[in-house]
Amino acid sequence: MRTSARVIPVNNFKAGLAQNRRQPGLWLTLESANATEIVAGSGYDWLLLDMEHTSLDVSQVAEHIRASKGGTAELVVRVPWNDPIVMKRLLDTGVRSFMIPYVQSAAEARAAVAATRYPPLGVRGVSGNMRANGFNRYSDYGARYHEEQCIIVQIESPAAIAAIAEIGAVDGVDGVFIGPNDLAANLGFFGQPGAPQVRAAIADALQKIRSTGRAPGILNFDPAQARQLFEDGFSFVAIGSDTSILARRSEGLLSEVVGSA
């Protein structure tokens, strides 16, 4: 039987960013495809697979893509750095939603977007038969691939906050994500993302992001604080991680049964 042509699946997470819809997400750092498969069906809108602070390589990311299929969540990959070579390989593997760490300027944001686009829109190399285009079964891939790509840039320093207006104006940027821990460190408050000075910087960054029309994002693993961040105007918030859930819940379960030491 001949296989009929298919079209690129809709990126509901990207659509939600454009609509300013509240979208909770979960951070993935266990490097376990089984864990990804489990949480993919838990109801989250997005999952962040972290290559920056784990030892994941491109071939392992492919396993997580397969594990996430059939769930509710879009798999977003945070790359180790704003590197077009790494991004090219991930794109061919099937990644279509990216988080780029430590973007400091509009030029760096443009470089991130260009890494995901074929010429003349960018610098991505062309491969004709790959997972990204359904092994050449998506009839509209060449014309529409970029319409379902999602590019999120991270703001993690005072210099980046000062450049938000220019960064947010870059065509192809869908979301601007504040990294509270690195921002705290760069403000001189290492390990204190809740310090008043850091919270003030986050509030300032939020207003600047919203003024660009881009979706603002952040992470906070405290449920009450995560709810408040949505109320404050953030549209996508990572509310936990697979690692923290396993660590804290396993400790809590033990405490419930045998008591605290």
Side-chain angles (χ1 to χ4, degrees):
M1 180 182 295
R2 184 169 180 171
T3 302
S4 60
R6 295 180 289 171
V7 296
I8 306 170
V10 173
N11 188 332
N12 290 315
F13 173 60
K14 173 173 179 159
L17 295 183
Q19 297 162 6
N20 199 34
R21 191 169 66 231
R22 293 184 180 184
Q23 298 189 99
L26 193 74
W27 223 255
L28 304 178
T29 59
L30 282 175
E31 305 180 35
S32 166
N34 287 336
T36 296
E37 183 177 12
I38 291 168
V39 298
S42 295
Y44 291 90
D45 291 290
W46 58 289
L47 303 173
L48 190 288
L49 186 64
D50 196 350
M51 293 184 74
E52 182 185 13
H53 292 298
T54 68
S55 60
L56 286 170
D57 60 30
V58 174
S59 63
Q60 291 170 301
V61 171
E63 295 299 318
H64 288 266
I65 293 172
R66 283 189 280 264
S68 68
K69 294 298 184 185
T72 60
E74 175 74 13
L75 189 69
V76 182
V77 175
R78 178 162 73 170
V79 293
W81 196 245
N82 193 353
D83 181 346
I85 296 174
V86 172
M87 292 174 68
K88 174 173 62 177
R89 297 183 66 202
L90 289 167
L91 285 158
D92 288 351
T93 300
V95 178
R96 62 178 183 172
S97 296
F98 290 87
M99 185 177 288
I100 317 299
Y102 213 74
V103 172
Q104 295 281 86
S105 66
E108 292 180 6
R110 282 192 293 270
V113 173
T116 68
R117 271 45 167 182
Y118 293 125
L121 301 177
V123 297
R124 178 184 176 187
V126 179
S127 174
N129 200 349
M130 56 189 169
R131 182 177 291 107
N133 66 4
F135 302 102
N136 210 23
R137 294 182 182 124
Y138 293 149
S139 59
D140 60 343
Y141 189 80
R144 290 193 54 252
Y145 71 93
H146 57 290
E147 295 177 11
E148 302 301 338
Q149 287 179 340
C150 182
I151 309 301
I152 299 165
V153 296
Q154 273 196 271
I155 301 296
E156 303 180 86
S157 73
I161 291 176
I164 284 174
E166 292 79 17
I167 291 171
V170 173
D171 186 34
V173 169
D174 297 288
V176 180
F177 188 93
I178 300 170
N181 293 309
D182 280 287
L183 179 59
N186 281 310
L187 287 169
F189 296 93
F190 182 90
Q192 303 175 66
Q197 296 89 335
V198 180
R199 295 178 65 179
I202 290 172
D204 177 43
L206 172 60
Q207 295 310 312
K208 289 179 176 178
I209 296 167
R210 287 173 62 85
S211 70
T212 70
R214 305 302 184 187
I218 197 168
L219 64 83
N220 193 306
F221 296 172
D222 179 275
Q225 292 180 28
R227 283 194 296 270
Q228 184 59 52
L229 288 165
F230 277 123
E231 291 296 324
D232 291 342
F234 283 96
S235 62
F236 65 113
V237 179
I239 63 174
S241 74
D242 53 359
T243 302
S244 64
I245 290 170
L246 180 61
R248 301 293 82 78
R249 183 55 190 144
S250 63
E251 294 165 354
L253 179 62
L254 181 63
S255 179
E256 289 174 21
V257 174
V258 302
S260 57

